[in-house]
Amino acid sequence: MQYRINPKNGDKISVLAFGCMRFKRDEKETERQIVKAIELGINYFDTAYIYPGSEATLGRILSKGHREKVKLATKLPPYLVKKKEDFDKIFNTQLERLKTDYIDYYLIHMLTNLDVWQRMVSLGILDWIKEKKEKGQIKNIGFSYHGGSQEFIKIIDAYDWEFCMLQYNYYDEYNQAGKSGLEYAAEKGLPIMIMEPLRGGKLVNLPKEALSVFEESPVKHTPAEWSFRWLWNHPQVLTVLSGMNSQEMLAANVASADEAQIDVLTSEEFDLYKRVKDVLNKSFLVPCTGCGYCIPCPQGVDIPLCFSSYNETATNGKISARFNYIVRTTGHNAGKCVNCGLCEKHCPQSIAIRKELKNTASALESFPYKPLSGFIKRFMKL
Ligand code: SF4
Ligand code: SF4
């Protein structure tokens, strides 16, 4: 495992971090996975208050003698904070779930603009952070970000942050905070954690045309390796989160992390990334990362799955996309949307979800959707 040094506090952090957003149902298997990750040198684990079951599972596992071996990161959901007391209420629940007395890296979750941070300030978060730091309950304070680059700079300048976490990958180089945000944060001396390195799997399951571009390289890498190499090539990146829910994925990512280097990509390789990105730009109808922040929908629409099938119409063709759509979204299809708009407030990618669900329904629920779905559901006993 390669490590990089946090420029703010000297912490030695593995270049590959464990993202704990989705654990397997089988806790024993999750435990094996986490223990193995620690043995392989991963020392940064990232969870959040709102990831279902994640903090409690991670807490139970780390409490079996692993807590001191890792840096633990978790997040405060601003939209659940309505009054000052909520800071403590949420934080104490997190300490309880995580079975710990302190959080190494505490993030304000999913900031998208300065207003959200200012609302936290108006509720007294500055004094609250000061108190938690004095008590040693929070070691480092930062934020995760999903807005645009201008607001990112305002947020960076609005407080004396100790780190930040960005969605960044070769496809998103100029999206959200993007390259300019990354460079700005680094100039301010902030360590940068990276989320969505594989864009919710989209940079792993590449369309054939994109795969054949990477295959032109004399040195062969998997699509995931291409993504990680691009990120680790940045000196500003401290660590890259990956949600690894199989031993194979863990082993493959750790093997990539063993090779992580700064400033090694060649101009020929940058050209390959650019061409792959051009292919992807043609093939993603909706830039959904599958993060799931928009669900549950009160009508039961499985928004990320609907968009995943819709995107598939461009990459794998309509027949396969329609079949997968019926199998995966039965009872949770786009046509169930009643246009309430609740989901859009939570989308870090600012997707016009209602409009795109209408497009999804037009593409995938037109004739012969009904008879076909009836047949498939009966046949597959869905
Ligand atoms: S707009 Fe549609 S998909 Fe979004 S929460 Fe409302 S019903 Fe669900
Ligand atoms: S629509 Fe937005 S919030 Fe929902 S899964 Fe996709 S990216 Fe995430």
Side-chain angles (χ1 to χ4, degrees):
M1 178 59 62
Q2 305 269 334
Y3 295 86
R4 291 185 183 174
I5 303 298
N6 179 334
K8 278 272 186 194
N9 63 11
D11 278 354
K12 194 176 156 194
I13 304 288
S14 53
V15 293
L16 179 66
F18 204 113
C20 303
M21 188 175 182
R22 293 182 198 95
F23 282 141
K24 284 191 166 170
R25 284 225 179 112
D26 180 348
E27 190 164 324
K28 283 269 168 264
E29 177 55 28
T30 300
E31 183 172 342
R32 276 193 289 277
Q33 190 84 357
I34 286 177
V35 171
K36 186 70 185 169
I38 295 171
E39 282 169 11
L40 291 170
I42 293 176
N43 69 356
Y44 189 95
F45 286 74
D46 174 278
T47 179
Y49 183 80
I50 60 163
Y51 299 164
S54 170
E55 288 182 325
T57 302
L58 188 60
R60 281 193 292 275
I61 295 169
L62 292 182
S63 68
K64 297 178 185 176
H66 307 295
R67 174 65 185 95
E68 298 306 317
K69 298 175 194 164
V70 302
K71 300 296 179 194
L72 184 54
T74 192
K75 313 186 191 81
L76 172 85
Y79 58 89
L80 294 182
V81 179
K82 310 284 183 219
K83 51 189 185 309
K84 189 174 183 185
E85 295 72 44
D86 291 337
F87 293 125
D88 264 340
K89 196 171 142 201
I90 292 171
F91 187 73
N92 290 339
T93 304
Q94 292 180 296
L95 291 184
E96 230 172 83
R97 287 175 178 173
L98 287 161
K99 297 188 183 299
T100 187
D101 299 329
Y102 66 97
I103 305 297
D104 299 285
Y105 288 83
Y106 198 62
L107 302 96
I108 315 304
H109 199 172
M110 218 171 88
L111 288 183
T112 51
N113 58 54
L114 186 61
D115 293 351
V116 181
W117 170 243
Q118 283 175 337
R119 192 176 72 79
M120 294 295 97
V121 172
S122 71
L123 288 173
I125 198 168
L126 298 182
D127 287 342
W128 182 80
I129 292 171
K130 191 163 172 273
E131 179 211 315
K132 293 292 158 204
K133 292 201 72 167
E134 279 168 4
K135 286 183 177 167
Q137 291 179 302
I138 290 178
K139 305 290 183 193
N140 301 277
I141 187 82
F143 65 97
S144 64
Y145 187 73
H146 280 292
S149 57
Q150 294 307 309
E151 288 293 311
F152 178 74
I153 285 168
K154 288 185 202 165
I155 292 172
I156 289 275
D157 288 342
Y159 182 66
D160 191 12
W161 300 103
E162 290 166 303
F163 70 105
C164 61
M165 183 156 79
L166 311 180
Q167 171 173 323
Y168 199 54
N169 52 62
Y170 65 83
Y171 185 78
D172 287 317
E173 187 174 7
Y174 300 103
N175 289 339
Q176 299 200 6
K179 188 179 179 191
S180 59
L182 177 101
E183 288 173 350
Y184 190 79
E187 272 165 30
K188 295 267 170 177
L190 289 189
I192 300 163
M193 284 58 170
I194 300 296
M195 59 184 155
E196 298 281 9
L198 306 175
R199 217 172 200 278
K202 304 275 184 309
L203 302 184
V204 176
N205 303 311
L206 293 173
K208 278 188 199 136
E209 200 187 335
L211 283 175
S212 61
V213 172
F214 276 145
E215 276 159 16
E216 286 176 26
S217 167
V219 187
K220 303 300 173 202
H221 300 290
T222 64
E225 282 168 354
W226 280 105
S227 302
F228 286 124
R229 287 181 79 236
W230 186 88
L231 284 165
W232 287 322
N233 194 59
H234 292 72
Q236 302 94 336
V237 168
L238 181 65
T239 188
V240 178
L241 262 68
S242 179
M244 296 167 279
N245 54 19
S246 74
Q247 294 286 351
E248 295 72 33
M249 199 188 291
L250 173 65
N253 288 358
V254 168
S256 303
D258 286 343
E259 307 290 324
Q261 288 187 66
I262 291 171
D263 287 336
V264 289
L265 293 181
T266 62
S267 55
E268 289 78 15
E269 287 175 315
F270 280 120
D271 185 54
L272 295 180
Y273 286 108
K274 185 183 168 305
R275 287 171 52 209
V276 167
K277 197 172 158 181
D278 289 343
V279 174
L280 292 175
N281 277 334
K282 283 189 281 170
S283 63
F284 287 173
L285 298 173
V286 185
C288 172
T289 63
C291 68
Y293 288 149
C294 53
I295 49 178
C297 148
Q299 302 302 316
V301 179
D302 193 324
I303 301 165
L305 267 186
C306 288
F307 290 156
S308 156
S309 297
Y310 185 38
N311 281 336
E312 241 183 280
T313 60
T315 51
N316 300 355
K318 212 163 170 177
I319 295 177
S320 145
R322 198 193 286 266
F323 176 80
N324 287 333
Y325 181 67
I326 292 169
V327 172
R328 291 178 192 152
T329 70
T330 184
H332 307 283
N333 52 305
K336 288 193 171 298
C337 172
V338 296
N339 224 20
C340 71
L342 280 177
C343 51
E344 289 183 6
K345 295 179 193 144
H346 301 294
C347 178
Q349 312 300 327
S350 305
I351 293 169
I353 295 177
R354 288 171 287 182
K355 176 175 149 259
E356 296 299 354
L357 283 175
K358 278 200 185 93
N359 291 338
T360 304
S362 317
L364 294 171
E365 295 182 30
S366 55
F367 184 80
Y369 172 77
K370 273 197 179 152
L372 195 60
S373 67
F375 172 75
I376 292 174
K377 279 187 225 167
R378 275 196 306 280
F379 184 70
M380 299 188 72
K381 299 194 172 21
L382 296 172

